[in-house]
Amino acid sequence: MPGVFVVVAVDAQAETLRLRDEGGRTGIVHVNADMFDLESLKPGDEVEVDFLVPGHGSTRLEAGGLWKVQR
């Protein structure tokens, strides 16, 4: 299920976002640069993320879809 998260940090070079959920937990999410322009995001922005199911033995969080929430 997609969820809404707050952007804490953006690393466009590494193609990652640090996101915070409503409970205050944070995590690094890998985003394919062809899917979304990470340089258009800044800390405090809200994004909706649909995660990919990790492959066997993988603990890496990857976005399958990413949308900026417009408020």
Side-chain angles (χ1 to χ4, degrees):
M1 291 289 296
V4 176
F5 302 87
V6 175
V7 175
V8 175
V10 179
D11 186 340
Q13 186 174 1
E15 298 182 345
T16 61
L17 294 173
R18 177 171 289 280
L19 301 177
R20 182 177 61 240
D21 68 12
E22 64 183 26
R25 295 175 298 185
T26 64
I28 299 289
V29 178
H30 296 266
V31 180
N32 184 322
D34 293 334
M35 178 189 339
F36 194 90
D37 178 15
L38 293 181
E39 293 185 7
S40 70
L41 294 174
K42 64 185 183 317
D45 284 345
E46 291 185 330
V47 293
E48 183 175 356
V49 182
D50 189 6
F51 295 98
L52 292 176
V53 175
H56 180 69
S58 177
T59 59
R60 176 173 144 148
L61 281 176
E62 290 190 61
L66 182 88
W67 305 270
K68 187 172 180 180
V69 175
Q70 302 297 326
R71 301 244 180 214

